Amino acid sequence: MVTGELRRRVDALWLEFWQGGITNPLTVIEQITFLMYARLLDINETRDENRERRTKKTFQHRFKDDEQHVRWSHIRHTPAEKMIPLVRDHVFPHFKTTAASGTAFAEFMKDAQLMIQKPGLLVKAINMINELPLTEGDTKGDLYEYLLSKLTTAGINGQFRTPRHIIRLMVDMVEPKPTEVIADPACGTGGFLVGVMEFLLHTYTSPEAVIEETDPESGVTQKIYTGDQLEAHRSHIQSNMFHGYDFDATMLRIAAMNLMLHGVDDPDIHYQDTLSTSFTDRFPNAATDGFDVILANPPFKGSLDFEDVHASILRLVKTKKTELLFVALILRMLKTGGRAALIVPDGVLFGSSSAHQALRKLLIDHNQLEAVVSLPSGVFKPYAGVSTGILVFTKGGRTDNIFFYDVEADGFSLDDKRERVGEDDLPDCLTRWRSRNPKRDTDRTTKAFFVPSSEVRDANYDLSLSRYKEMVYREQEYDPPQLILKRMKSLNDEVSAEIVQLMELLK
């Protein structure tokens, strides 16, 4: 989370924009994001240049020889009176040429423009952004999450960023392959799609191709996974593998930038309400029978009118609730045999309405519901305290047994501060998932266990973990009341005696 000194810097930067006349929160976020992106481009270019000198392997440069003046390292040393013309007339046009014409990035950047008109504000913004630790861990995502929190509407529609460690668990559970087609129907800033790319790089890098290098800004040594075993799939990964949909143009622009910075030059990122009647049965650039893998954290709250929802979704589940509609949508988007992992509010797991039960019946009786992972309610704090779970399922087939796991700690405190702590069930969850055995994992007093689908059917398809987990109660032994009173009387007598002694001394 963004706390302490980093929070102070971001707040100061936000205040500078407001004092500089830019008061629309969305515009502030966009402008900060553009400048962060400009810096990240230069950071990645410098890193690749260092790697090229060391390994003698060339890479596709982001800046041509005649474009070195638009690099961050040059911009931040430019005099104030020349900075606005440089950024406006050279840096922003360069954004549009860093991806091939017709790509998602070029599409979302074509309308990008510098809104900062005061040289002093631009200088302060660039200096402050230059001080942000953008290369440390998931700071980019944390920063964007904190910026989003400044929108008065943030969280109203269930729109908040999924923590990176939760994304990593979900990606690890579905294990995407480099030949598959991946989608997120409510992609936001592209966190799940980026998580898949990071998984592929980690999984398909041979030991000798892992590079250790020290970041020049933070001084932290980190491992770089080159993905050398992905070479045969590069074309597919670059332009056909990743598909994201959202109806927030700013989110999509960030998603395109995010994926490009992670090596995906031309993701299929679309401005689209995937629940609407306009979302066609054929998915752009995907196999006509659907996607191989879908990962998502769709909006939880809200409802839609029936006439606004695609008929094929309503055929699966008749409801206006978006959290149910998105599960049905994902089933529709998957190809037979396709896999999905998505976050749902607890109400989806045990809601008693006919729509809730119909959806769970659909998952269990006509598809393979593989896992229900219960998450602690503080995972999305400070932006939401909703209790959630992860559903993992495969389209088609049938459900025989369902894997349940009770996550009680995710490595961070479950209050608004979300500070790192020692307790973390996520590694154990993944280990138990990968070694799962329905015949062996039957002890319901542990964190991980299987439940036969027949038992779930008998319980009206209730998927709440508390319905099946057996609680172990330990009898607490106490001393007899007479003994406790005797001790209290003895202590009281000692206090009375000492008071008498003090009174004697004070005479």
Side-chain angles (χ1 to χ4, degrees):
M1 299 302 299
V2 177
T3 57
E5 176 63 19
L6 184 54
R7 180 190 290 263
R8 187 196 65 76
R9 292 183 192 174
V10 175
D11 288 344
L13 179 57
W14 188 274
L15 183 60
E16 289 289 348
F17 271 91
W18 278 65
Q19 291 177 344
I22 302 177
T23 56
N24 184 330
L26 202 56
T27 302
V28 175
I29 291 174
E30 272 196 315
Q31 295 299 296
I32 292 175
T33 302
F34 288 144
L35 296 177
M36 284 171 55
Y37 177 71
R39 183 177 166 215
L40 287 166
L41 274 182
D42 195 20
I43 288 173
N44 285 1
E45 182 78 356
T46 301
R47 181 176 293 163
D48 287 342
E49 287 172 344
N50 293 335
R51 190 178 305 152
E52 182 180 55
R53 284 192 291 270
R54 186 172 61 254
T55 63
K56 308 302 180 186
K57 293 183 179 179
T58 60
F59 70 98
Q60 183 175 353
H61 289 269
R62 301 165 184 80
F63 302 91
K64 299 176 183 177
D65 291 340
D66 59 349
E67 294 176 329
Q68 296 301 306
H69 65 292
V70 300
R71 295 181 62 165
W72 183 266
S73 51
H74 177 81
I75 298 170
R76 69 187 187 93
H77 292 117
T78 301
E81 66 276 7
K82 296 181 180 180
M83 191 175 283
I84 284 184
L86 173 63
V87 175
R88 181 190 61 217
D89 301 333
H90 297 274
V91 176
F92 271 69
H94 178 261
F95 286 164
K96 303 171 189 180
T97 63
T98 49
S101 176
T103 64
F105 179 74
E107 176 67 22
F108 289 113
M109 289 302 293
K110 67 181 182 182
D111 298 324
Q113 56 182 313
L114 180 68
M115 302 297 293
I116 301 172
Q117 304 298 325
K118 296 182 179 180
L121 174 58
L122 183 57
V123 171
K124 288 180 180 179
I126 286 177
N127 288 338
M128 287 188 178
I129 289 174
N130 193 65
E131 295 175 357
L132 298 178
L134 298 185
T135 59
E136 297 178 11
D138 194 27
T139 305
K140 293 189 298 296
D142 289 339
L143 282 169
Y144 193 71
E145 178 181 308
Y146 181 61
L147 289 170
L148 276 182
S149 73
K150 292 180 174 293
L151 288 174
T152 56
T153 56
I156 289 178
N157 296 315
Q159 298 171 346
F160 39 81
R161 177 175 164 268
T162 310
R164 189 177 184 180
H165 56 293
I166 302 298
I167 290 176
R168 187 181 302 116
L169 172 67
M170 295 168 65
V171 174
D172 286 343
M173 290 182 75
V174 299
E175 298 185 59
K177 308 293 188 299
T179 56
E180 294 181 319
V181 183
I182 318 294
D184 182 346
C187 69
T189 58
F192 282 101
L193 302 180
V194 169
V196 170
M197 189 63 206
E198 291 178 339
F199 172 84
L200 293 176
L201 289 172
H202 278 72
T203 306
Y204 294 92
T205 298
S206 55
E208 59 274 14
V210 177
I211 298 173
E212 290 192 5
E213 61 180 34
T214 301
D215 188 271
E217 292 194 11
S218 64
V220 176
T221 299
Q222 57 184 342
K223 292 183 178 180
I224 305 296
Y225 295 86
T226 59
D228 59 309
Q229 297 174 347
L230 294 173
E231 289 305 320
H233 311 289
R234 289 292 180 187
S235 177
H236 172 68
I237 291 172
Q238 292 287 349
S239 56
N240 296 317
M241 184 174 192
F242 295 98
H243 303 257
Y245 308 90
D246 209 301
F247 50 83
D248 187 317
T250 301
M251 296 285 194
L252 292 172
R253 184 178 284 131
I254 303 303
M257 292 183 190
N258 205 1
L259 283 162
M260 186 177 177
L261 288 168
H262 284 84
V264 183
D265 289 343
D266 188 18
D268 177 38
I269 303 294
H270 276 285
Y271 183 87
Q272 179 72 63
D273 180 355
T274 48
L275 292 177
S276 71
T277 55
S278 63
F279 192 45
T280 60
D281 289 321
R282 283 175 171 264
F283 310 112
N285 298 329
T288 55
D289 56 347
F291 296 99
D292 296 295
V293 175
I294 292 178
L295 294 132
N297 179 10
F300 295 165
K301 302 177 183 178
S303 61
L304 301 174
D305 293 330
F306 286 135
E307 57 267 25
D308 295 331
V309 181
H310 200 287
S312 62
I313 301 175
L314 293 176
R315 283 196 293 269
L316 295 177
V317 57
K318 187 78 170 179
T319 182
K320 297 181 179 182
K321 293 184 174 296
T322 56
E323 62 266 32
L324 301 180
L325 292 170
F326 265 106
V327 180
L329 166 70
I330 289 170
L331 278 170
R332 171 186 166 236
M333 293 174 66
L334 285 171
K335 68 193 316 181
T336 301
R339 314 180 302 289
L342 67 150
I343 295 174
V344 296
D346 274 0
V348 173
L349 305 179
F350 57 77
S352 58
S353 74
S354 58
H356 282 88
Q357 293 187 32
L359 181 66
R360 296 194 297 267
K361 186 176 188 296
L362 177 65
L363 285 172
I364 294 171
D365 290 350
H366 301 284
N367 299 278
Q368 186 177 352
L369 178 60
E370 299 184 71
V372 178
V373 179
S374 175
L375 296 175
S377 60
V379 165
F380 292 107
K381 284 190 174 181
Y383 310 112
V386 62
S387 295
T388 59
I390 299 172
L391 291 181
V392 181
F393 56 85
T394 299
K395 184 174 181 176
R398 68 174 190 179
T399 303
D400 294 322
N401 295 280
I402 303 170
F403 175 85
F404 281 81
Y405 193 96
D406 184 15
V407 175
E408 295 179 306
D410 70 336
F412 296 85
S413 63
L414 298 175
D415 54 16
D416 287 354
K417 294 183 179 180
R418 294 289 280 158
E419 296 174 335
R420 192 172 291 277
V421 297
E423 296 79 17
D424 187 0
D425 293 330
L426 300 189
D428 180 65
C429 177
L430 183 60
T431 299
R432 298 289 293 271
W433 165 255
R434 288 177 171 172
S435 62
R436 64 194 183 277
N437 185 325
K439 294 182 179 180
R440 181 195 63 215
D441 302 331
T442 57
D443 184 359
R444 299 189 184 181
T445 63
T446 65
K447 288 183 176 295
F449 56 87
F450 276 90
V451 175
S453 59
S454 57
E455 183 177 344
V456 177
R457 291 187 184 95
D458 292 341
N460 291 323
Y461 296 90
D462 190 328
L463 292 174
S464 56
L465 181 136
S466 59
R467 176 104 188 188
Y468 307 102
K469 185 171 183 178
E470 296 178 4
M471 305 302 295
V472 179
Y473 297 98
R474 295 179 181 176
E475 184 176 353
Q476 184 69 47
E477 295 184 359
Y478 299 96
D479 291 332
Q482 294 84 352
L483 180 58
I484 296 174
L485 286 171
K486 186 177 179 180
R487 290 174 184 165
M488 291 174 64
K489 184 177 181 305
S490 176
L491 289 171
N492 189 54
D493 290 344
E494 289 179 16
V495 171
S496 297
E498 290 178 358
I499 290 174
V500 170
Q501 292 176 10
L502 281 172
M503 292 177 67
E504 289 294 330
L505 291 173
L506 293 173
K507 285 182 178 179

